[in-house]
């Protein structure tokens, strides 16, 4: 047992989305089948750098994903993924992933840039998230260009990770972000899978790395 605040799931099926060109020349998305059981390893995230290392690690392994919940053990095999097997540690969890999809950016702002992400943060998230360090990874659908040379999605689609000044519970997150209707709040559940993408992601840090909230 350990003081874990995150879990890595590993399965025998791919846990990353796949896009491809269909017979009609249009970009298609292959249906993702989430398995029922996983091997689950508990880990401890201590700062934004740990988040960077973790996301980089699992993005290179198509059979891995993460959840906010923990099992209470360092390693569990062949386990179901539900609220009975994965729970929120007492007092909450000190990190959060904001999943933003189909966010329309202002004219002249490229949605596939840090500028687009920062604009989203300032327009849609509480001030506590402004001008602090974060780690991001664009969604698997972001930046795809079809045969017609047009973007598959012209909006912002991104996962943004923050390390908080203290652990927070799911209930606190839901209350804190209750007015943010443009994000996927199912990620606050301890058993909800955070799918990663098999390409390069990036950190965005403020000059003062102690500027967390």
């Amino acid at each position: 047992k350990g003081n874990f605040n995150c879990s890595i799931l590993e399965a025998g099926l791919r846990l990353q989305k796949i896009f491809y060109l269909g017979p009609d020349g249009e970009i298609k998305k292959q249906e993702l089948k989430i398995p029922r059981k996983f091997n689950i390893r508990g880990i401890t995230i201590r700062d934004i750098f740990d988040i960077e290392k973790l996301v980089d690690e699992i993005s290179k392994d198509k059979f891995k994903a993460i959840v906010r919940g923990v099992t209470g053990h360092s390693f569990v095999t062949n386990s179901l993924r539900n609220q009975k097997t994965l729970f929120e540690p007492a007092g909450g969890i000190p990190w959060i992933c904001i999943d933003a999809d189909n966010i329309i950016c202002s004219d002249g702002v490229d949605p596939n840039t840090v500028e687009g992400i920062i604009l989203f943060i300032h327009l849609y998230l509480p001030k506590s998230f402004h001008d602090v360090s974060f780690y991001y990874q664009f969604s698997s659908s972001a930046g795809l260009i079809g045969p017609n040379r047009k973007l598959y999605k012209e909006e912002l689609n991104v996962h943004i990770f923050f390390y908080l000044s203290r652990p927070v519970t799911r209930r606190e997150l839901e209350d804190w972000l209750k007015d943010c209707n443009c994000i996927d709040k199912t990620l606050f559940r301890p058993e909800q899978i955070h799918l990663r993408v098999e390409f390069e992601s990036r950190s965005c840090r403020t000059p003062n790395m102690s500027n967390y909230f």
Side-chain angles (χ1 to χ4, degrees), residues 43-96:
I43 63 170
T44 302
I45 294 176
R46 296 181 175 86
D47 52 36
I48 195 75
F49 300 106
D50 282 348
I51 293 176
E52 178 178 6
K53 293 175 184 176
L54 172 63
V55 176
D56 183 62
E57 172 193 340
I58 65 173
S59 295
K60 296 174 182 177
D61 192 328
K62 60 186 177 184
F63 300 108
K64 290 182 179 179
I66 58 175
V67 294
R68 284 171 53 83
V70 299
T71 66
H73 301 274
S74 60
F75 190 72
V76 177
T77 61
N78 202 33
S79 174
L80 293 171
R81 178 184 60 90
N82 55 44
Q83 292 186 10
K84 292 182 178 180
T85 57
L86 288 160
F87 58 88
E88 187 174 74
I93 298 168
W95 63 274
I96 180 178

Side-chain angles (χ1 to χ4, degrees), residues 155-193:
E155 302 83 14
L156 174 67
N157 296 272
V158 68
H159 306 116
I160 314 169
F161 292 83
F162 295 91
Y163 190 82
L164 313 177
S165 64
R166 66 171 179 86
V168 294
T169 64
R170 172 187 172 184
R171 188 178 297 275
E172 286 180 296
L173 285 176
E174 290 174 343
D175 182 63
W176 191 12
L177 298 167
K178 62 180 182 297
D179 297 325
C180 302
N181 298 320
C182 57
I183 65 175
D184 182 2
K185 297 173 186 175
T186 64
L187 288 187
F188 301 163
R189 300 173 185 169
E191 78 284 3
Q192 186 66 30
I193 285 184

Side-chain angles (χ1 to χ4, degrees), residues 30-154:
Q30 181 175 313
E31 180 182 0
L32 181 64
K33 296 181 179 180
I34 303 295
R36 292 183 65 250
K37 294 186 177 182
F38 301 84
N39 292 336
I40 304 175
R41 175 163 58 93
I43 63 170
T44 302
I45 294 176
R46 296 181 175 86
D47 52 36
I48 195 75
F49 300 106
D50 282 348
I51 293 176
E52 178 178 6
K53 293 175 184 176
L54 172 63
V55 176
D56 183 62
E57 172 193 340
I58 65 173
S59 295
K60 296 174 182 177
D61 192 328
K62 60 186 177 184
F63 300 108
K64 290 182 179 179
I66 58 175
V67 294
R68 284 171 53 83
V70 299
T71 66
H73 301 274
S74 60
F75 190 72
V76 177
T77 61
N78 202 33
S79 174
L80 293 171
R81 178 184 60 90
N82 55 44
Q83 292 186 10
K84 292 182 178 180
T85 57
L86 288 160
F87 58 88
E88 187 174 74
I93 298 168
W95 63 274
I96 180 178
C97 175
I98 299 293
D99 184 359
D101 287 322
N102 302 318
I103 305 299
I104 299 175
C105 291
S106 302
D107 290 343
V109 177
D110 185 343
N112 297 311
T113 61
V114 174
E115 181 184 7
I117 297 173
I118 293 176
L119 178 63
F120 161 77
I121 291 172
H122 282 259
L123 288 178
Y124 295 101
L125 298 185
K127 289 185 178 180
S128 300
F129 293 92
H130 299 183
D131 304 316
V132 299
S133 302
F134 61 85
Y135 184 77
Y136 72 90
Q137 187 180 65
F138 288 110
S139 303
S140 53
S141 60
L144 295 180
I145 300 176
N148 56 6
R149 307 303 300 168
K150 290 185 178 181
L151 284 171
Y152 175 63
K153 287 191 175 183
E154 297 182 351

